[in-house]
Amino acid sequence: MTGLVARIEAATPPGRDRAVDALRALAILGVVGGHWLVTALVADSGTVRGASPLTAMPQLTPVSWVFQTLAVFFLVGGMVATGSWASARKRGVPYGRWVGGRLARLFRPVAAVLVVWTLAAEAMLAAGAGESTVRALGKLVWSPLWFLLVFAVLTALTPLVTRLHPLWPLVVVLHVDLVRLGLGGPHELGWVNVVAGWLVPYCLGALVARGGLRGRTSRWALLLGGATAAAALVLWAGYPASMVGVPGGRMSNLDPPSLAATAFGLAQCGAALLLLGPLRRVLRRPAAWAVVAVVNLAAMTVFLWHQTAMIVVTTTALLLADGPLPGLHTVPDGAGWVVARLLWLPVFALALLGCWTVFRSYEQGGRRGGGSLVVRESAPERKGWARRA
């Protein structure tokens, strides 16, 4: 272990902003933890269906405030892509080659998920599994992939949006919600927010990369202002308190992103920016940095396969056990389910480790035996703005 830590430390460029990598890792792990905690597969009447503990236990709503961390992921994406594009321009790298390289790294591991789950779905149907069961399992795997398409679009638009102030997409989200929710406009209008809502933290990241929001005062204002706006929208404008969708709810803050979710995302971004300084100090320690570097190396694999890991554990246990197991196959309607689910999390993590072992080469460009020890943006892409942030 000591040797691995030393290798990672030696392979890290001096100008790398390790805190940004830590934010990315926290965002990915937040999504994974949130899905494992608020997603259940209930086995009854020979079928498997999806459910959420938030339906029966609304007191768990604060879990969605902690683990719905996509805004931080888009914040980091805007920071890194802006620095990367600026570096590419200085080196004379054409736009096509720059965006092609970034999108290839994003979608290469997705291909493995698509192939495996297409074959798995066909095999389950051939073995006699009901269409509703296959659909429920497939939805768990496919639905988290939507954000990759949005992220790819924003990445491709980086040269156009890099100087767009985040207030502009925020105004779009405000007006879309005003029309669709306040004035009874068409529901389909909300899909404009799929891009506009996530463009807000992405543009915020680009602003930070250009040297904006340097002081703690502005970052505290972002945190407190976003949190206050989100709370006001929930308390007085009728938005749901949960920052993720709840089955059976009258609306979702995330599908599509609402003004409340966008405001809450701004609060998360303010908190993330305030953490940069403390994280930089902590990550001077080689052991702490090694953990962050390893998570970043596996970030896409972890995101793409975490639901599969949960499904593998759930279905395997269902086949081997005499009946439904608490926290795994039972209805999520009480404290007992929560305690049991927490005990299953290490098993999910172990299954995810197995998925990572099998599919990690797709994230690392087909290289076996390790590959790069750090995520792929190099020091020149970050050095200039990292010190300003």
Side-chain angles (χ1 to χ4, degrees):
M1 183 64 70
T2 303
L4 176 63
V5 170
R7 287 172 56 205
I8 292 175
E9 184 69 19
T12 303
R16 187 173 196 85
D17 190 353
R18 303 179 181 195
V20 174
D21 291 310
L23 290 181
R24 180 198 282 119
L26 288 172
I28 290 293
L29 294 179
V31 171
V32 171
H35 282 160
W36 284 354
L37 287 172
V38 303
T39 303
L41 287 170
V42 179
D44 56 17
S45 305
T47 64
V48 174
R49 60 182 174 85
S52 171
L54 296 177
T55 302
M57 295 178 283
Q59 64 270 26
L60 295 180
T61 293
V63 172
S64 71
W65 305 343
V66 175
F67 290 99
Q68 203 291 82
T69 51
L70 284 176
V72 177
F73 187 88
F74 280 93
L75 171 77
V76 172
M79 294 170 71
V80 173
T82 300
S84 175
W85 172 237
S87 174
R89 292 183 64 188
K90 289 180 180 178
R91 292 180 285 116
V93 177
Y95 168 77
R97 195 169 80 189
W98 174 80
V99 74
R102 297 191 73 82
L103 294 184
R105 291 198 298 270
L106 184 65
F107 284 113
R108 187 186 298 116
V110 175
V113 178
L114 296 176
V115 171
V116 168
W117 267 97
T118 298
L119 295 176
E122 293 177 353
M124 285 187 286
L125 290 172
E131 289 187 11
S132 62
T133 295
V134 176
R135 191 180 304 112
L137 298 179
K139 184 178 179 180
L140 287 181
V141 176
W142 305 131
S143 57
L145 300 185
W146 65 264
F147 103 93
L148 291 179
L149 295 176
V150 179
F151 191 79
V153 170
L154 298 187
T155 298
L157 293 176
T158 294
L160 297 178
V161 304
T162 186
R163 294 191 176 279
L164 181 66
H165 197 281
L167 280 177
W168 290 109
L170 180 61
V171 168
V172 172
V173 174
L174 169 63
H175 283 83
V176 166
D177 271 19
L178 179 63
V179 172
R180 73 183 180 106
L181 300 177
L183 302 178
H187 174 74
E188 293 76 14
L189 185 62
W191 293 108
V192 173
N193 285 355
V194 173
V195 174
W198 299 118
L199 189 57
V200 173
Y202 194 87
C203 288
L204 191 65
L207 177 63
V208 173
R210 301 195 307 270
L213 296 174
R214 297 186 189 181
R216 291 179 61 83
T217 300
S218 59
R219 297 176 181 190
W220 271 109
L222 191 63
L223 167 58
L224 298 177
T228 300
L233 289 167
V234 169
L235 293 173
W236 296 303
Y239 285 87
S242 174
M243 291 300 143
V244 298
V246 179
R250 59 182 180 79
M251 70 170 287
S252 169
N253 271 323
L254 203 58
D255 187 21
S258 69
L259 182 61
T262 305
F264 186 77
L266 289 174
Q268 287 183 314
C269 291
L273 293 174
L274 286 168
L275 281 175
L276 285 175
L279 284 173
R280 287 180 185 127
R281 291 190 290 272
V282 170
L283 294 174
R284 291 171 187 163
R285 304 170 187 170
W289 165 237
V291 173
V292 171
V294 169
V295 172
N296 270 276
L297 262 180
M300 278 296 295
T301 304
V302 166
F303 176 79
L304 291 172
W305 292 98
H306 73 279
Q307 294 287 58
T308 298
M310 184 183 72
I311 291 170
V312 168
V313 172
T314 303
T315 54
T316 301
L318 186 62
L319 293 174
L320 298 178
D322 292 333
L325 298 176
L328 204 58
H329 311 117
T330 53
V331 177
D333 58 0
W337 184 93
V338 176
V339 173
R341 173 51 62 101
L342 292 174
L343 296 176
W344 280 109
L345 294 186
V347 185
F348 295 166
L350 186 62
L352 181 55
L353 179 61
C355 292
W356 174 79
T357 302
V358 174
F359 296 105
R360 60 176 177 168
S361 63
Y362 293 93
E363 183 169 6
Q364 298 173 14
R367 296 187 298 273
R368 296 189 180 275
S372 173
L373 286 174
V374 291
V375 291
R376 292 173 180 78
E377 282 81 19
S378 60
E381 294 175 344
R382 293 187 174 195
K383 190 184 299 182
W385 59 263
R387 294 186 181 123
R388 295 195 300 266

